[in-house]
Amino acid sequence: MTRIISGMVGGRRLATPAGEATRPTSDRVREALFSRLDHLDILVGSRVLDLYAGSGALGLEALSRGAIHATLVDSDRGAAGIARTNARGLGFADRVLVRAEPVERVLLTGPANPDERVGLVFLDPPYDLADDRLADVLALLVRHTWLAPDALVVVERSGRSAPPRWPAGLSASGERRYGDTKVWFADAPGPDDVA
């Protein structure tokens, strides 16, 4: 059972895609991750981009804890439909955009205007996603100006995976291991850091 851990809709259950194609983030990992994000004070008022979203659990958890908007992206139409259903069921339909497209295609468009840049990005790709492809996705985030100043990027992968190759414009800011799962963090420069 996957559920929202905390916040305004804490405890509510989420539907998850059937089969092995989607790997939901465990409640334990989400609880630890969001505890850190709460400590960093990054959630309240943030716009969120949830890539490889599956059920949308990460983006929807962020909304429950004070984010103002989430874009959930998954190339699997079934998973995107479940994410859309979860958003409606939680009362977040007006604050969520679900896109059933490949992540790279979405990132190539960039945000429609600077006000739509995001302060928090989750990447929870399939464990078998090639390191080069993940590096390309991270580069697209930077190149197509998705990131607001001081944005945080969170990558979740197998604990056996190599660390992400952060492109120029993102600086590694830590990592955590939770059992077989590893989470890496990177920061975008703030307004005072940009020359």
Side-chain angles (χ1 to χ4, degrees):
M1 174 188 76
T2 299
R3 62 187 176 89
I4 298 293
I5 305 293
S6 188
M8 69 176 80
V9 293
R12 300 273 301 274
R13 290 183 177 190
L14 298 173
T16 55
E20 306 262 332
T22 303
R23 175 191 38 78
T25 301
S26 73
D27 286 359
R28 178 176 166 252
V29 172
R30 271 188 299 119
E31 190 165 6
L33 170 61
F34 278 91
S35 176
R36 178 170 184 175
L37 297 176
D38 282 335
H39 175 74
L40 294 172
D41 196 26
I42 197 165
L43 292 167
V44 175
S46 232
R47 296 182 72 83
V48 176
L49 182 60
D50 185 355
L51 303 175
Y52 310 98
S55 67
L58 293 172
L60 297 171
E61 183 79 36
L63 288 171
S64 182
R65 294 175 185 242
I68 59 170
H69 186 271
T71 300
L72 313 177
V73 182
D74 201 293
S75 62
D76 183 275
R77 289 189 181 282
I82 287 173
R84 192 174 289 110
T85 297
N86 284 334
R88 273 196 307 266
L90 296 173
F92 293 150
D94 61 333
R95 296 169 45 199
V96 173
L97 173 63
V98 178
R99 297 190 59 179
E101 299 176 64
V103 164
E104 294 90 343
R105 183 182 306 160
V106 170
L107 293 179
L108 283 169
T109 64
N113 65 64
D115 292 339
E116 294 180 1
R117 290 184 294 175
V118 296
L120 179 59
V121 181
F122 296 112
L123 293 98
D124 184 10
Y127 277 176
D128 63 355
L129 184 79
D131 293 344
D132 288 343
R133 190 158 167 213
L134 176 61
D136 290 344
V137 167
L138 292 167
L140 288 172
L141 276 173
V142 174
R143 190 176 315 128
H144 293 279
T145 60
W146 279 94
L147 304 175
D150 292 320
L152 180 69
V153 176
V154 180
V155 175
E156 177 186 336
R157 300 197 79 192
S158 163
R160 295 178 297 281
S161 298
R165 293 194 312 263
W166 302 112
L170 286 174
S171 301
S173 60
E175 60 186 62
R176 297 284 189 275
R177 179 183 285 276
Y178 308 104
D180 292 335
T181 300
K182 200 158 187 184
V183 178
W184 288 272
F185 302 89
D187 298 313
D192 297 333
D193 301 324
V194 178

